[in-house]
Amino acid sequence: MQGLCYRLPLMKTDGLKEVRVFAPATVANVACGYDVLGFAIDEPGDEVVARLSDEPGLRITKITGDDGKLPLEAEKNTAGVAALDLLKHLGMLDLGIEMEIHKKMPFGSGLGSSAASAVAGAYAVNKLIGEPLTKKQLLPFAMTGEASADGAWHADNVGPCLLGGIVFIRDNQELDIAQLPVPKNLWAAVVHPDIEILTKVARGILPTEIPLANVTQQIGNLGGLICGLIQEDYGMISRSVHDVIAEPRRQKLIPEFYQAKRGAMSAGALGFSISGAGPSVFGLCEGEESARKVGAAISSAFSKVELGNQLYVSKINQTGVRVVR
Ligand code: HSE
């Protein structure tokens, strides 16, 4: 990561005995920015509690909301891996810490579930030990946590989950990232249909080579979306939220995808696409009222074929991970 400069902790714990944090769900890709663009929403999200303990080392003592799927071993758990990587970097692996993880969003949902746990793990421990690192400096540790779950290295969920807002990644290896301006009235309607798609599968169906014409179109749309965000030009945003690379291949994994898309666009969405690797989908909207209409239209496309779904209507979340009481 460029220009990294750590403030080493003077005090080990800053007097905090326990900290509880919330890390929000994220919409990765935002149609035209495969692996390089993502934004955070207000809910759902994961919670992690970290507290000091007399027993040396990091232990995960409790996990809820995971149907028993997640390992309690810290070195096998995304939140644990991120926290351990941070503690190792700071030379504090012996510090006694107990961690609880409360999963509040489904796995394989396209909402950045593993990224949220990894971000929450690193952020909670950093807070507990007196915040030696800034949020941005936590990025590589949270990335290590997420990569332990899906094996891929892309910051389009971790970046916005950590920092909030809309995050652009110029280079995933260097973790060279920037927060983009967020137009005041930009909202999202995100719908999660009750099916699971493994990120690995959704990545595996993408071709390794893309026709030049598609690349040109996608670059134009990505540039257009960034310009639209900077200039608060909703027309430009709307013309740019198109994905000619991943969406045409991945839509077949999502039942009723085109019905949902038609519904969203007729209800006034600026654009519509797959959230991350899916199955969640999102409509980008100008204003809350529009987002509610668009959300209802998407949800009804799934409900018509009796596919259960959850709707989240949210302004772009500008805070990212945060301490909660
Ligand atoms: N950019 C990633 C993908 C997000 O589309 O595969 C998945 O977490």
Side-chain angles (χ1 to χ4, degrees):
M1 192 174 171
Q2 294 191 337
L4 204 58
C5 166
Y6 296 118
R7 274 186 295 129
L8 282 173
L10 295 175
M11 264 198 327
K12 257 182 166 178
T13 65
D14 210 23
L16 270 177
K17 291 246 166 44
E18 177 177 300
V19 62
R20 176 182 289 263
V21 310
F22 170 86
T26 44
V27 171
N29 301 336
V30 200
C32 51
Y34 178 73
D35 277 0
V36 299
L37 198 62
F39 64 79
I41 56 175
D42 287 340
E43 52 151 7
D46 285 348
E47 275 184 23
V48 163
V49 180
R51 72 177 69 87
L52 293 174
S53 141
D54 291 335
E55 198 178 314
L58 175 76
R59 283 174 310 124
I60 299 175
T61 52
K62 188 177 184 180
I63 305 178
T64 64
D66 69 324
D67 293 329
K69 286 184 189 159
L70 290 180
L72 278 167
E73 294 102 305
E75 45 295 311
K76 291 189 186 155
N77 180 298
T78 51
V81 170
L84 284 171
D85 199 37
L86 170 66
L87 289 164
K88 184 173 168 207
H89 173 81
L90 296 171
M92 296 175 76
L93 278 174
D94 284 343
L95 185 67
I97 298 176
E98 284 180 2
M99 182 179 271
E100 287 178 16
I101 301 165
H102 302 287
K103 291 296 299 174
K104 300 201 171 174
M105 63 175 133
F107 303 102
S109 58
L111 295 170
S113 173
S114 49
S117 289
V119 164
Y123 185 74
V125 167
N126 188 55
K127 273 277 174 197
L128 190 71
I129 60 177
E131 220 170 350
L133 268 58
T134 64
K135 269 189 170 184
K136 200 168 176 184
Q137 287 170 338
L138 292 177
L139 185 62
F141 310 104
M143 287 289 290
T144 304
E146 198 208 7
S148 72
D150 84 356
W153 188 264
H154 45 85
D156 49 347
N157 291 114
V158 166
C161 180
L162 195 55
L163 303 175
I166 306 178
V167 171
F168 171 65
I169 300 114
R170 187 201 62 82
D171 188 297
N172 274 298
Q173 293 311 314
E174 291 178 24
L175 291 179
D176 187 8
I177 70 169
Q179 276 178 295
L180 299 171
V182 179
K184 280 189 291 295
N185 220 11
L186 193 61
W187 283 69
V190 180
V191 181
H192 170 241
D194 289 340
I195 54 167
E196 189 176 320
I197 294 180
L198 294 177
T199 302
K200 215 180 245 179
V201 172
R203 294 179 79 80
I205 61 171
L206 299 182
T208 49
E209 292 183 5
I210 306 287
L212 183 59
N214 286 355
V215 174
T216 310
Q217 250 181 309
Q218 197 93 346
I219 293 171
N221 283 331
L222 179 58
L225 177 53
I226 293 173
C227 290
L229 294 172
I230 293 170
Q231 295 169 353
E232 278 207 44
D233 180 341
Y234 291 97
M236 180 69 113
I237 292 171
S238 182
R239 293 193 297 281
S240 306
V241 179
H242 297 289
D243 175 9
V244 297
I245 292 178
E247 181 185 302
R249 278 111 185 165
R250 286 177 166 178
Q251 52 77 22
K252 57 176 173 278
L253 303 175
I254 304 168
E256 305 304 298
F257 178 82
Y258 284 119
Q259 284 76 359
K261 184 165 188 161
R262 268 195 297 277
M265 297 314 290
S266 314
L270 297 168
F272 172 95
S273 193
I274 303 170
S275 173
S280 292
V281 292
F282 73 97
L284 215 49
C285 305
E286 184 177 357
E288 178 174 2
E289 201 187 322
S290 169
R292 297 212 175 272
K293 269 192 209 148
V294 167
I298 301 170
S299 174
S300 106
F302 293 129
S303 300
K304 264 188 197 143
V305 294
E306 291 179 15
L307 180 55
N309 59 87
Q310 298 80 44
L311 165 65
Y312 304 98
V313 173
S314 169
K315 229 177 174 171
I316 306 302
N317 172 315
Q318 303 257 35
T319 311
V321 64
R322 65 179 205 276
V323 171
V324 288
R325 300 286 153 215

